[in-house]
Amino acid sequence: VELAAARTKLLPPVQLLGRLEQALPLLTAGRRDAPERQRTLRATIAWSFHLLTPHEQDLFRRLSVFAGSFDLTAAERICDAELDTLQSLLEKNLVRRWESGRFGMLETIHEYAGGRLEESGDAERVRDRHAAYFLELAESAGLAADVDLPQRHDLVIPEASNLRAALDWAGSTGRLELAARLAVALENFWVTNNPVEGMRRIEALLREPDDLPPLLRARTLRASASCTFLLGERDVAQRTLEESLAIFRDLGDDHGIAVILHRLAVAAMVRGEREQAAALGEESLALHRASGSRKGEAQALALLGSLAWEQGHRERALELLAESAELARAVGFRWWEAGMLVQIAWHNLELRRPDEAARAARDALSIRKGIGDRPGTVLVLAVAAGAAAVAGRWTTAGRLWGAVEAERARGEAVVGWQPEDDAFFAELIIDRAGSGFEDARAAGRSLAFEAAVEEAEEALAAH
């Protein structure tokens, strides 16, 4: 109806109906046994397409390269879109402008346009331009561990579907180096958005014949370990990191070496090997400072803070963690800043300081919402539940803890959650639960995740 209505400025309804009825039998495509409504809809889209000027038809076909939605800059850069032509497609309802301000097509129209693009012989060129554009965007977002750029999750999150489409295209057409560069550029996106997907995609690339340039292979291995470690596959992550480190050492890449040494130090600390963790951490810190990597320095300081905590130096540990968070904030390392704030909140819970814990957790939650970090947000909800429990607010603690349990029951990765943390929260919350906790806990298990986050924000603000 909308496609036809777009022509009413040109034709009165009676003439419009007559032309459409003449066109439908000729333009109906697809399976002859398809539902009549489906065949008629396709015919209507085809009719609208054939009424476009050649220039409009070209742009319509090319815009189908986008997955989900797109912005004006991408349309101009990839599809050579001109404003007048795009406006014409909008007026004809073949392209939509969503409430977000981005553009897109309804799925049936998108499918038709994609078929026309394939028939045009221009598909490979347009898809190559699409992949190149989104590689450039991803690499500018500062999400790879060894890139000292401010993290810009806001550039990547709206383009998630396009980035996945570019990765699929590169992988399916044998453009292995392009696919690996894109996967590495999205390293922290995988960590914050979906470590399982990141692991699956990167491991598929690493199974391909080993013809990646050595530096790119080392970076790809490191990105793989980022996901596998968070998913609890620590032995796999350790082997992957050691393989990556060997390549970086062969290349004499001190910055790459420093990043991996920090990862290995964290792994050693988790295994309880504190002396090795300290030695690796100090070496990493020295290399980062020598290269001027403030991002790396923030990470190394955090490791030393964690070791200080385990050695019983509580206030010194909190100072080092705060220094790491502040340095991360200064260089735009938002994900790391959030992680440090959560760790500070956690330690304040251990010291039974609920107000200090709530302040740090509130800031962490704001950052993690902003970067779309659902796996990391679960841990903030747990800290919020703990702060409410320490303050004796058992209904709030129960609802938030129930939401945490429901999320973990779905099998999602929780960034920063260690096996021993269950015992910590059991002692802090469950074993000493007060009146109203169990009923609230049951209600919390049925909360939508977004609703639980809103309740956590309110609870943390109340401290």
Side-chain angles (χ1 to χ4, degrees):
V1 169
E2 288 185 346
L3 290 174
R7 296 289 171 179
T8 56
K9 294 179 182 178
L10 180 65
L11 298 170
V14 173
Q15 290 186 31
L16 188 64
L17 179 61
R19 286 172 180 261
L20 186 56
E21 287 177 340
Q22 292 171 15
L24 289 179
L26 297 174
L27 295 175
T28 298
R31 300 193 335 266
R32 292 297 171 181
D33 60 348
E36 182 62 28
R37 63 183 181 278
Q38 181 178 331
R39 296 170 60 201
T40 302
L41 177 58
R42 181 176 175 83
T44 307
I45 298 168
W47 173 74
S48 295
F49 174 77
H50 284 288
L51 291 175
L52 299 176
T53 68
H55 202 48
E56 291 170 336
Q57 289 180 355
D58 285 343
L59 181 57
F60 176 69
R61 285 190 292 258
R62 291 171 190 160
L63 291 176
S64 70
V65 74
F66 294 107
S69 64
F70 58 92
D71 63 19
L72 179 59
T73 300
E76 290 173 331
R77 288 272 303 277
I78 298 167
C79 303
D80 298 321
E82 296 176 354
L83 286 177
D84 289 345
T85 309
L86 182 59
Q87 178 65 33
S88 179
L89 294 177
L90 281 166
E91 291 173 353
K92 295 176 173 64
N93 290 318
L94 290 168
V95 173
R96 300 294 179 97
R97 192 163 190 251
W98 310 128
E99 289 184 5
S100 64
R102 292 171 63 83
F103 302 94
M105 296 179 178
L106 297 179
E107 186 56 38
T108 308
I109 294 175
H110 182 270
E111 182 182 346
Y112 179 85
R116 289 293 182 176
L117 179 63
E118 294 300 326
E119 294 170 1
S120 72
D122 199 26
E124 183 172 356
R125 184 186 69 85
V126 175
R127 295 191 189 284
D128 276 344
R129 293 180 71 173
H130 177 273
Y133 176 86
F134 284 105
L135 172 62
E136 180 183 340
L137 180 141
E139 290 186 332
S140 74
L143 302 185
D146 54 356
V147 176
D148 281 327
L149 293 172
Q151 289 189 322
R152 293 289 308 278
H153 292 81
D154 59 301
L155 293 179
V156 167
I157 291 171
E159 303 295 359
S161 295
N162 282 307
L163 290 161
R164 290 183 172 104
L167 260 174
D168 291 340
W169 165 253
S172 66
T173 56
R175 293 161 170 81
L176 183 60
E177 186 170 337
L178 189 156
R181 284 178 62 189
L182 189 49
V184 169
L186 294 172
E187 183 174 357
N188 197 252
F189 172 76
W190 305 129
V191 167
T192 57
N193 185 268
N194 194 330
V196 174
E197 180 186 5
M199 180 181 67
R200 175 179 59 79
R201 286 185 175 276
I202 297 170
E203 286 187 349
L205 293 172
L206 291 170
R207 284 194 297 268
E208 294 293 324
D210 187 9
D211 55 359
L212 289 176
L215 177 58
L216 181 55
R217 179 167 180 80
R219 299 179 76 220
T220 306
L221 287 164
R222 186 201 63 234
S224 175
S226 296
C227 297
T228 53
F229 187 84
L230 289 175
L231 294 170
E233 298 186 22
R234 294 174 184 169
D235 291 341
V236 175
Q238 180 78 18
R239 291 193 298 271
T240 306
L241 288 171
E242 289 170 353
E243 185 180 349
S244 177
L245 179 61
I247 299 173
F248 279 124
R249 288 198 188 282
D250 287 343
L251 295 170
D253 186 330
D254 284 347
H255 184 52
I257 291 169
V259 172
I260 300 298
L261 287 176
H262 171 261
R263 301 283 181 87
L264 290 171
V266 172
M269 184 177 64
V270 170
R271 294 194 302 269
E273 299 170 359
R274 296 192 181 101
E275 289 186 8
Q276 184 184 12
L280 292 168
E282 291 286 1
E283 186 180 356
S284 175
L285 178 60
L287 287 171
H288 279 308
R289 281 178 169 165
S291 68
S293 173
R294 300 175 73 197
K295 201 170 171 181
E297 184 179 351
Q299 293 178 299
L301 286 171
L303 175 76
L304 298 178
S306 296
L307 289 171
W309 181 269
E310 292 188 0
Q311 292 164 356
H313 307 306
R314 304 308 199 205
E315 297 307 322
R316 176 56 179 159
L318 289 172
E319 289 173 4
L320 286 167
L321 294 172
E323 186 179 350
S324 175
E326 182 58 38
L327 187 54
R329 182 182 304 114
V331 298
F333 195 6
R334 300 287 282 163
W335 175 74
W336 190 262
E337 180 191 351
M340 291 304 94
L341 290 168
V342 171
Q343 198 166 339
I344 290 168
W346 188 300
H347 289 330
N348 276 298
L349 279 184
E350 293 182 272
L351 297 172
R352 300 301 189 264
R353 300 172 179 171
D355 292 342
E356 289 87 342
R359 278 196 294 272
R362 184 170 62 243
D363 292 342
L365 184 57
S366 176
I367 295 170
R368 285 189 161 165
K369 277 184 62 182
I371 65 176
D373 184 0
R374 180 166 177 149
T377 298
V378 181
L379 191 55
V380 185
L381 296 186
V383 170
V390 172
R393 296 161 54 205
W394 289 108
T395 299
T396 298
R399 286 179 66 82
L400 293 176
W401 186 250
V404 169
E405 290 180 318
E407 187 69 7
R408 295 186 69 203
R410 297 185 186 103
E412 302 291 342
V414 178
V415 175
W417 200 295
Q418 308 296 340
E420 57 270 21
D421 297 338
D422 288 302
F424 169 74
F425 281 114
E427 180 184 354
L428 183 71
I429 301 175
I430 300 171
D431 295 347
R432 48 188 295 273
S435 175
F437 175 81
E438 287 300 334
D439 288 343
R441 182 183 186 183
R445 290 180 182 137
S446 63
L447 272 179
F449 186 74
E450 293 74 15
V453 171
E454 289 181 6
E455 291 199 16
E457 287 177 312
E458 293 174 3
L460 292 170
H463 282 269

